[in-house]
Amino acid sequence: MITDPLFYAAAIPAVLIAGISKGGFGSGLALVAVPMMSLVIPVPMAAAIMLPVLISIDFITVWVYRRDWSRADLKVMLPGAVVGTLV
């Protein structure tokens, strides 16, 4: 368990910034969450702490919007997504 107060001083704002950004209010500010935390802990540990947070945010978003999707948009975006993932 991390007991360093400096860690919490960096982690709490980083998680809040990531949540607000993923909610659509902070544009691309979620990119600063891991670098902000890596100022006080090693980078792999910062990424490992943020990954479950970001996955849970994405899971909740998909669950909330599970009935609001467009088949036409999916047909346009899916081929590019598959190619981009393979590359």
Side-chain angles (χ1 to χ4, degrees):
M1 176 130 171
I2 300 173
T3 58
D4 184 17
L6 190 58
F7 164 75
Y8 290 104
I12 292 171
V15 170
L16 288 174
I17 287 171
I20 291 169
S21 179
K22 296 285 266 182
F25 294 109
S27 63
L29 233 79
L31 296 172
V32 301
V34 172
M36 180 187 252
M37 289 176 60
S38 68
L39 294 172
V40 292
I41 59 174
V43 175
M45 186 183 284
I49 290 170
M50 285 303 297
L51 185 61
V53 173
L54 296 174
I55 288 174
S56 64
I57 292 170
D58 289 341
F59 179 75
I60 292 168
T61 302
V62 169
W63 181 258
V64 168
Y65 291 104
R66 67 188 179 277
R67 292 189 176 99
D68 298 327
W69 60 281
S70 167
R71 188 176 302 271
D73 289 341
L74 190 63
K75 284 181 184 178
V76 171
M77 292 189 308
L78 196 58
V82 170
V83 170
T85 302
L86 292 175
V87 169

